[in-house]
């Protein structure tokens, strides 16, 4: 019997969802004149490879104004300027925080802002050699209101005093909790951890009082954490994620550390003293974790090398593992959380001896050549998010647990829904990239700062890389509002586009030879309005017949039959709905809601019965590929599409005819292990 998998996914929201197009990406080049010079390049930890020096960016609660922070090129002062949210030009007078050595995080308020930075202090119990300590400073109407140190003399002295020579972290604010919170990298200069690097989470009330909260505050958490993700919540503890140097990324909202009582998001290859750069490394701990507004759901994005061959981490002890990378380049992964402490789906395993340690990953990109870095995410609304990254098409990846080098080949922007599904293809640009916080501007629009320059990832800072300073800031925006597709009521148009989609699916399958077909995928995007139309009753019978064809002796014809019939159901539903809708106008009892239905029919041949001689699958290694067939926008009643989905699920995806998608991975030395490191090759995801 031919085993197959057919999946039909339905995603809809109250707002129109359309895939990103080239017109979705906007740029405002050099519109913001700076009063002081700024160096936009930050050397990475250990490798000195170039990172964007973060320029924290934040919009006020009312949305009427925004603030941008940047470090003076002298590295002895942080400047904060007010930004017009329409033109992105500066307004008002620049506020200078003298002695600030890095802009570590920024929260805009309607009357000013709060800044996380690091400054040198003197006096009793101050760190030696002018090493800076972390501080939150609040400004109201251009004047300093309060300054609260979250490290240094007098801050959790019994646990060890902490400094922050590298201000890598973030600052958030919760209106509900009336609390600021900062999560940042530290090194202790007294106590048991003296000389070691970790991280700290500190809470400060809106009037500037440092507050120690049991189960939320932390004087020491994840070892050598150079990857922090932090997001506000209605009450402490706030949502937090760390990347440590022992082999994992943790959702540590409840533990504030790297304990296996927390949620293990991912196994990652690390080296002692370096957690790698999953959240951007130096100057990169921002816009990695985002809340879907109006929900308790979060999305997290990071760069991963995958994980194979888990072994015991003897230093951490029982229940902790380390791993080897699946490949040396990085892919983009996302994870969803139903609330600030609960992952959606499975967490990463900690099984000593397991050959695969990354089966839980939800990958946005795949491959064992192209390297992805500078990964960030932000949410448009309760159902849509943006994931962005940069690529090197032909990278050199020789650094253990760190970044790759090579020619920058573009920044990519991918729309993702709240179920973690990608919507359409990513768009790209070789001149617009993320170099500061991604924030909501108005409706359906996410914006971020960057410096317009030739971005070079080929050489280390101080190793031949051209030095750059600037006094101009640019802004990029991704706008999904302009992509909203209005509903149409033309019967002819609806019938024509639906029929075209069905024909395209069937033709693509039929045109593929039985020897080469691995998978066929069709995506039909339709925009819907409420209606009372019904789906033709024959659709269920048609799919039942198609499912029965799976047992036939021809693998190619089975795939074609199921795919064609499933597409026919959608076509029939759309046509039937359109006729009904045209014949009877919408009744007053129906609410006109514009949204998007995204249907994906995926047929994957994983193996064949012995009687099938022309099986397109391999007996020893299962691979899949997706053939992009058609994307169509039409107008269709939501009730009709829902019924069509149900028909496909019950008729074609019955348990009797289905098998779960499966992937076989070549092990060390097997055919297919061609990555040169004697490790299993990358995942192939369906």
């Amino acid at each position: 019997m031919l085993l197959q998998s057919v999946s039909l996914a339905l995603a809809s929201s109250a707002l129109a969802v359309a895939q990103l197009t080239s017109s979705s990406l906007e740029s405002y080049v050099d519109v913001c004149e700076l009063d002081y010079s700024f160096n936009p390049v930050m050397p990475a930890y250990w490798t000195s490879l170039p990172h964007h020096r973060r320029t924290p960016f934040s919009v006020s609660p009312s949305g009427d104004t925004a603030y941008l922070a940047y470090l003076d090129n002298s590295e002895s002062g942080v400047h904060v300027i007010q930004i017009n949210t329409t033109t992105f030009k500066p307004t008002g007078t620049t506020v200078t925080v003298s002695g600030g050595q890095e802009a570590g995080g920024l929260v805009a308020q309607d009357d000013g802002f709060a800044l996380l930075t690091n400054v040198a202090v003197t006096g009793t119990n101050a760190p030696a050699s002018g090493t800076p300590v972390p501080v939150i400073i609040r400004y109201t109407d251009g004047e300093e209101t309060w300054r609260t140190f979250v490290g240094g003399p007098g801050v959790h002295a019994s646990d060890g005093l902490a400094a922050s020579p590298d201000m890598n972290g973030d600052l958030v604010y919760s209106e509900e909790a009336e609390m600021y919170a900062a999560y940042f990298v530290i090194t202790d200069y007294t106590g048991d951890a003296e000389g070691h690097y970790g991280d700290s989470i500190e809470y400060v009330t809106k009037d500037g009082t440092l507050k120690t909260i049991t189960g939320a505050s932390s004087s020491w958490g994840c070892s050598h954490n150079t990857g922090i993700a932090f997001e506000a919540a209605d009450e402490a503890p706030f949502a937090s994620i760390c990347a440590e140097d022992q082999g994992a990324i943790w959702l540590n909202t409840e533990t504030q550390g790297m304990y296996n009582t927390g949620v293990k998001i991912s196994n990652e290859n690390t080296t002692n003293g370096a957690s790698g750069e999953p959240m951007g490394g130096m100057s990169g701990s921002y816009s990695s974790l985002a809340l879907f507004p109006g929900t308790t759901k979060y999305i997290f994005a990071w760069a991963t090398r995958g994980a194979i061959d888990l072994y015991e981490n003897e230093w951490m002890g029982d229940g902790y593992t380390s791993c080897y990378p699946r490949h040396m380049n990085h892919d983009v992964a996302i994870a969803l959380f139903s609330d600030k402490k609960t992952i959606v789906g499975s967490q990463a395993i900690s099984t000593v001896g397991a050959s695969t340690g990354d089966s839980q990953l939800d990958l946005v990109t795949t491959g064992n050549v192209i390297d992805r870095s500078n990964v960030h995410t932000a949410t448009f609304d309760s159902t849509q998010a943006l994931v962005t990254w940069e690529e090197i098409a032909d990278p050199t990846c020789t650094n253990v647990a760190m970044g790759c080098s090579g020619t920058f080949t573009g920044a990519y922007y991918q729309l993702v829904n709240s179920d973690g599904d990608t919507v359409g293809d990513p768009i790209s640009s070789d001149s617009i990239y993320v170099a500061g916080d991604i924030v909501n501007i108005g409706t359906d629009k996410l914006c971020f700062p960057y410096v317009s320059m030739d971005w070079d990832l080929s050489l280390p800072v101080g190793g031949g890389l051209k030095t750059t300073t600037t006094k101009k800031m640019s802004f990029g925006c991704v706008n999904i509002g302009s992509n909203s597709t209005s509903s149409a009521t033309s019967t002819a148009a609806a019938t024509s586009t639906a029929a075209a989609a069905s024909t395209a699916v069937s033709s693509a399958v039929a045109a593929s030879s039985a020897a080469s077909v691995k998978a066929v995928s069709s995506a039909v995007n339709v925009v819907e309005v409420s209606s009372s139309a019904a789906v033709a009753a024959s659709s269920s019978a048609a799919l039942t017949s198609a499912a029965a064809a799976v047992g036939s002796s021809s693998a190619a014809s089975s795939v074609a039959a199921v795919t064609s019939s499933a597409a026919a159901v959608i076509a029939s539903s759309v046509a039937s709905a359109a006729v009904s809708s045209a014949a009877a106008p919408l009744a007053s009892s129906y609410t006109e809601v514009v949204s998007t239905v995204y249907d994906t029919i995926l047929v994957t041949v994983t193996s064949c019965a012995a009687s099938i001689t022309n099986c397109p699958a391999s007996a020893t290694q299962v691979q899949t590929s997706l053939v992009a067939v058609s994307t169509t926008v039409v107008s269709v009643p939501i009730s009709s599409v829902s019924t069509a989905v149900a028909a496909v699920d019950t008729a074609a995806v019955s348990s009797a005819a289905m098998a779960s998608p499966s992937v076989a991975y070549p092990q060390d030395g097997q055919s297919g292990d061609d990555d040169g490191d004697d490790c299993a090759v990358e995942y192939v995801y369906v």
Side-chain angles (χ1 to χ4, degrees), residues 138-510:
R138 175 75 160 97
Y139 276 80
T140 306
D141 298 326
E143 300 294 331
E144 183 175 323
T145 309
W146 48 259
R147 176 178 295 221
T148 302
F149 286 93
V150 289
V155 179
H156 50 69
S158 61
D159 297 331
L161 299 177
S164 290
D166 302 312
M167 177 41 67
N168 190 14
D170 209 1
L171 176 70
V172 299
Y173 178 75
S174 169
E175 185 65 43
E176 292 77 12
E178 297 186 334
M179 194 91 63
Y180 292 93
Y183 191 5
F184 49 92
V185 174
I186 60 170
T187 178
D188 275 7
Y189 60 92
T190 67
D192 294 339
E194 181 177 353
H196 295 278
Y197 278 78
D199 59 34
S200 179
I201 302 175
E202 303 295 337
Y203 289 82
V204 176
T205 64
K206 68 176 184 178
D207 63 3
T209 302
L210 180 64
K211 188 174 182 179
T212 300
I213 304 173
T214 302
S217 301
S218 171
S219 60
W220 187 273
C222 297
S223 172
H224 286 271
N225 180 3
T226 53
I228 286 173
F230 202 36
E231 183 68 291
D234 288 348
E235 61 181 6
F238 293 172
S240 60
I241 295 173
C242 82
E244 33 87 340
D245 67 340
Q246 295 301 309
I249 298 176
W250 300 93
L251 175 65
N252 63 350
T253 303
E254 290 193 298
T255 66
Q256 297 86 53
M258 49 193 288
Y259 309 110
N260 57 14
T261 52
V263 177
K264 191 178 188 181
I265 298 172
S266 181
N267 288 300
E268 297 291 337
N269 177 240
T270 63
T271 187
N272 194 31
S275 66
E277 299 175 342
M279 287 94 101
M282 293 297 295
S283 202
S285 295
Y286 63 92
S287 296
S288 295
L289 177 66
L291 175 70
F292 286 98
T295 76
T296 61
K297 198 169 187 177
Y298 296 80
I299 183 172
F300 169 56
W302 75 101
T304 180
R305 280 176 165 164
I308 60 170
D309 299 336
L310 271 60
Y311 59 94
E312 183 180 3
N313 186 315
E314 296 180 355
W315 185 76
M316 292 291 291
D318 291 342
Y320 295 89
T321 57
S322 296
C323 67
Y324 294 98
R326 181 168 292 279
H327 39 67
M328 292 302 290
N329 66 297
H330 299 80
D331 280 316
V332 178
I334 59 173
L336 297 175
F337 310 107
S338 58
D339 56 43
K340 63 184 179 180
K341 60 183 180 181
T342 308
I343 194 169
V344 175
S346 301
Q347 64 174 302
I349 65 171
S350 298
T351 305
V352 174
S355 60
T356 294
D358 52 8
S359 59
Q360 88 293 345
L361 287 180
D362 184 357
L363 292 178
V364 176
T365 67
T366 59
N368 61 355
V369 177
I370 298 173
D371 187 66
R372 284 93 177 182
S373 61
N374 195 34
V375 179
H376 296 286
T377 189
T379 53
F380 289 100
D381 51 39
S382 62
T383 62
Q384 301 170 96
L386 177 71
V387 177
T388 177
W389 65 91
E390 294 176 6
E391 289 192 357
I392 300 174
D394 185 20
T396 298
C397 302
T398 58
N399 299 305
V400 177
M402 302 300 284
C404 301
S405 61
T407 301
F408 169 69
T409 50
Y412 287 75
Y413 305 87
Q414 173 70 64
L415 190 63
V416 176
N417 66 27
S418 56
D419 292 325
D421 303 318
T422 57
V423 180
D425 296 324
I427 58 174
S428 65
S429 172
D430 59 5
S431 60
I432 306 171
Y433 38 78
V434 175
D437 300 65
I438 309 173
V439 302
N440 289 90
I441 299 287
T443 303
D444 298 336
K445 189 174 181 179
L446 292 171
C447 301
F448 48 86
Y450 73 99
V451 171
S452 181
M453 60 182 288
D454 292 329
W455 185 232
D456 188 356
L457 294 171
S458 63
L459 296 169
V461 177
L465 185 73
K466 181 181 178 181
T467 58
T468 302
T469 60
T470 184
K471 294 186 72 174
K472 293 183 178 180
M473 191 68 63
S474 302
F475 289 84
C477 296
V478 178
N479 192 340
I480 62 172
S482 60
N483 292 331
S484 300
T485 306
S486 60
S487 60
T489 57
S490 168
T491 302
T495 305
S496 174
T497 50
S502 176
T503 301
V505 175
S506 302
S507 298
V509 179

